[in-house]
Amino acid sequence: MVDARIETGEQGWRYFSGLHRLLLRLAGQVPGDWLTDMRRMLAGGDLVLLPDTVAGSAVEFGVPLTNGEVALLREMTRAFLDEDPMALDLVTLTEETPLPRYRFFPVPAEVLATDADRIPPRMDFTGRPGESLWELPPVLAPLNDLATRLTDLADRSPIIWLREEDDVRSVARTWRFPPDGPLDGGVRVVLVEVSPYAPAWDRAHEASRALAGRGDGTAEVEVYWAGEELPPYHRAALDGAALLWRPGER
């Protein structure tokens, strides 16, 4: 298993993991394409520009940061550029992370439109008789008539990439909708659990690239370390998710 502490060194680990946790906490509060761009920069090791970009965007979006996050951004910019991030003094401070303003479901909108009353709050697709996600495990046998509608090929794409990484513990997926109104469209959110000290930022970028290659460039990928307390957004997302893969499955 890759240990990112060894790869990046003590200070590098603090910077990479600190920025990754900051971006996790901002999920659901900022545009998804911005998050994907920041995670791409982080996976590329762009530690010089990220503090300025994050601070400026926090001001632009009106999203508060914590004292610890501001301290991290200041430390990084001083280490690399011997100055503070330009917009840092304009950032609003908070120690609270707001509750998510979304609804999460384990199936897409077209299934909810016809069979919402049959869909449990959470679903587990592991234990399948074969490799295809359309081969449902016995526990989901009552939904066999919906098998080809519950998942799609894009659900499979991050699994194909991530199952070769021995630090990945599970891959789940939920569909995110606004807090009220019709359940149309929706945003795919992939939730990846990795081992402690794994390079979570790399796994997020890998999964995002896989989804974009399958044609879903709007999907959001959230990678978190096993055993860590999750922000409210991720707890709510997991409560409405479908578990698609864990080690031992193909």
Side-chain angles (χ1 to χ4, degrees), residues 107-170:
V107 296
E110 54 266 28
V111 177
L112 295 171
T114 59
D115 294 273
D117 58 338
R118 300 174 58 193
I119 303 302
R122 302 176 68 175
M123 302 178 73
D124 187 343
F125 284 83
T126 62
R128 299 180 297 275
E131 183 173 339
S132 172
L133 289 173
W134 296 338
E135 297 179 73
L136 300 185
V139 69
L140 295 180
L143 300 178
N144 275 333
D145 59 308
L146 301 176
T148 59
R149 300 174 59 208
L150 299 175
T151 63
D152 58 19
L153 293 175
D155 277 343
R156 187 73 183 165
S157 58
I159 296 173
I160 293 172
W161 279 79
L162 295 174
R163 68 187 181 186
E164 303 302 326
E165 306 288 355
D166 61 6
D167 50 38
V168 177
R169 296 193 177 186
S170 69

Side-chain angles (χ1 to χ4, degrees), residues 8-61:
T8 61
E10 181 181 348
Q11 184 182 57
W13 166 256
R14 284 200 307 106
Y15 290 169
F16 276 96
S17 63
L19 283 172
H20 184 80
R21 289 187 180 94
L22 184 158
L23 296 174
L24 275 178
R25 199 185 65 79
L26 293 185
Q29 304 177 62
V30 295
D33 57 351
W34 181 86
L35 268 181
T36 299
D37 284 345
M38 295 303 100
R39 287 166 173 156
R40 174 184 52 78
M41 291 175 66
L42 185 58
D46 199 350
L47 300 182
V48 176
L49 291 180
L50 269 169
D52 257 340
T53 305
V54 170
S57 297
V59 174
E60 178 185 354
F61 298 141

Side-chain angles (χ1 to χ4, degrees), residues 14-15 22 65-78 84-85 88 93:
R14 284 200 307 106
Y15 290 169
L22 184 158
L65 301 178
T66 68
N67 285 291
E69 291 165 349
V70 167
L72 174 70
L73 298 179
R74 177 174 285 114
E75 176 189 345
M76 291 178 64
T77 308
R78 286 180 175 175
D84 284 348
L88 201 60
L93 297 177

Side-chain angles (χ1 to χ4, degrees), residues 222-245:
E222 300 294 327
V223 181
Y224 60 95
W225 288 288
E228 290 204 356
E229 183 177 357
L230 293 175
Y233 179 87
H234 301 81
R235 295 199 299 269
L238 285 168
D239 283 344
L243 177 62
L244 301 179
W245 181 89

